[in-house]
Amino acid sequence: MKSQTKNGGSLSPSLRGGQGAGFRRYLRLQRNYSPNTLDAYLRDVEKLLQYLDGEGIAPEKATLADLQQFAASLYDLGIGARSQCRILSGVRAFYHYLVVDGYIADDPTELLESPQTGDHLPEVLSTQEVDMIEAAVDLSKWEGHRNRAIVEVLFSCGLRVSELTTLQMSNLYLDEGFIRVFGKGSKERLVPISQKAIDELRFWFDDRCRMNIKAGEQDYVFLNRRGAHLTRTMILIIVKQLAEAAGIQKTISPHTFRHSFATALLEGGADLRVIQALLGHENIGTTEIYTHIDMTSLRQTILEHHPRNHR
């Protein structure tokens, strides 16, 4: 079942055709999304379009009830609440695009609710645990100093893994103690970098300068043995292997160091607005999760040390 669009064509149930190109342009130009976010939205909306196609419903004819049934199907498939929220966020963006581009007059997602995810406090590492991970690096291997620098830059600067993989030599101002970072939506921010991270980077640069670097990759800070910049997956593997070697029992990812960076700042008395700017959060509400982490830490301190809690 396909219905007529404003251009006299039909709205395909797949995002591989012209509608997909239009939606992609909308996300890139009007929403200013990064390539990773853009691809995730396209994959998520594809799930909706496949569902509607199976039900014989054209996307622009879908009602709120149809979309609620789609949301219920995600639950039935065992998809977690957070993943459901992400998928439905993509669905809302898709229907907003259809309104903006004139395919539909009313947005059926205006009253579409997302599932409650509850308060989720991310795992964090103490400074001692970060030191343990760095100590687990085998400096006899060619990538040893690189891996130490990766861990230290993640922890000292609070970078997203995508920001780390795209970090470039031309955006390092080590003498001034800053690095330039391009975050979500290509938004630029300057982030202070610690002396320890600077030292680890310079150790890595001594090894890096002896590498055969691929054409077009010369400006990337972190490279693999073939002279190309590291991928997100490779950073994840490096971090997990080092945490295991250090005997860390927590579930670790590159994002754990970002959480740990923010938590350490908050516990040290930094203002929440400062942390927001350093992390590149557009909304202060995203940063406020770290106040919950801090309160959890404070409560544990009271339970352990206040005489009223001693039996």
Side-chain angles (χ1 to χ4, degrees), residues 29-98:
L29 299 177
Q30 295 199 35
R31 292 294 186 92
N32 201 27
Y33 284 151
S34 69
N36 291 329
T37 302
L38 190 150
D39 288 341
Y41 268 50
L42 292 174
R43 287 193 301 270
D44 290 339
V45 172
E46 187 72 36
K47 293 180 177 68
L48 168 72
L49 299 184
Q50 289 173 357
Y51 170 84
L52 293 176
D53 192 41
E55 297 293 318
I57 302 170
E60 72 277 21
K61 295 295 184 181
T63 65
L64 174 61
D66 296 325
L67 299 179
Q68 288 171 333
Q69 285 297 318
F70 167 70
S73 75
L74 299 177
Y75 177 83
D76 293 339
L77 290 171
I79 296 175
R82 289 189 175 275
S83 295
Q84 291 179 46
C85 288
R86 189 202 66 226
I87 292 169
L88 295 179
S89 177
V91 170
R92 291 187 188 91
F94 177 63
Y95 276 96
H96 189 264
Y97 155 71
L98 294 183

Side-chain angles (χ1 to χ4, degrees), residues 106-120:
D106 299 309
D107 185 350
T109 67
E110 286 183 349
L111 299 178
L112 182 64
E113 295 183 354
S114 293
Q116 295 296 315
T117 58
D119 291 328
H120 172 68

Side-chain angles (χ1 to χ4, degrees), residues 249-279:
Q249 300 298 313
K250 297 174 180 178
T251 303
I252 302 300
S253 74
H255 217 67
T256 307
F257 293 93
R258 182 169 162 86
H259 295 317
S260 306
F261 164 82
T263 304
L265 286 177
L266 189 65
E267 290 177 345
D271 184 85
L272 200 62
R273 290 287 181 184
V274 173
I275 299 174
Q276 177 190 5
L278 292 174
L279 292 175

Side-chain angles (χ1 to χ4, degrees), residues 55-179:
E55 297 293 318
I57 302 170
E60 72 277 21
K61 295 295 184 181
T63 65
L64 174 61
D66 296 325
L67 299 179
Q68 288 171 333
Q69 285 297 318
F70 167 70
S73 75
L74 299 177
Y75 177 83
D76 293 339
L77 290 171
I79 296 175
R82 289 189 175 275
S83 295
Q84 291 179 46
C85 288
R86 189 202 66 226
I87 292 169
L88 295 179
S89 177
V91 170
R92 291 187 188 91
F94 177 63
Y95 276 96
H96 189 264
Y97 155 71
L98 294 183
V99 171
V100 168
D101 236 33
Y103 289 102
I104 59 176
D106 299 309
D107 185 350
T109 67
E110 286 183 349
L111 299 178
L112 182 64
E113 295 183 354
S114 293
Q116 295 296 315
T117 58
D119 291 328
H120 172 68
L121 303 184
E123 197 82 81
V124 295
L125 295 166
S126 65
T127 303
Q128 181 182 13
E129 288 172 323
V130 175
D131 290 340
M132 289 168 59
I133 291 173
E134 291 184 5
V137 175
D138 186 352
L139 294 179
S140 67
K141 295 182 177 179
W142 80 268
E143 71 270 22
H145 285 300
R146 182 202 66 184
N147 291 351
R148 283 272 291 262
I150 285 171
V151 171
E152 191 58 39
V153 170
L154 284 172
F155 180 59
S156 294
C157 301
L159 303 189
R160 300 178 178 94
V161 65
S162 58
E163 295 168 348
L164 184 83
T165 58
T166 56
L167 189 62
Q168 298 192 329
M169 301 289 289
S170 56
N171 289 322
L172 303 182
Y173 305 93
L174 301 187
D175 291 339
E176 293 80 9
F178 285 89
I179 62 175

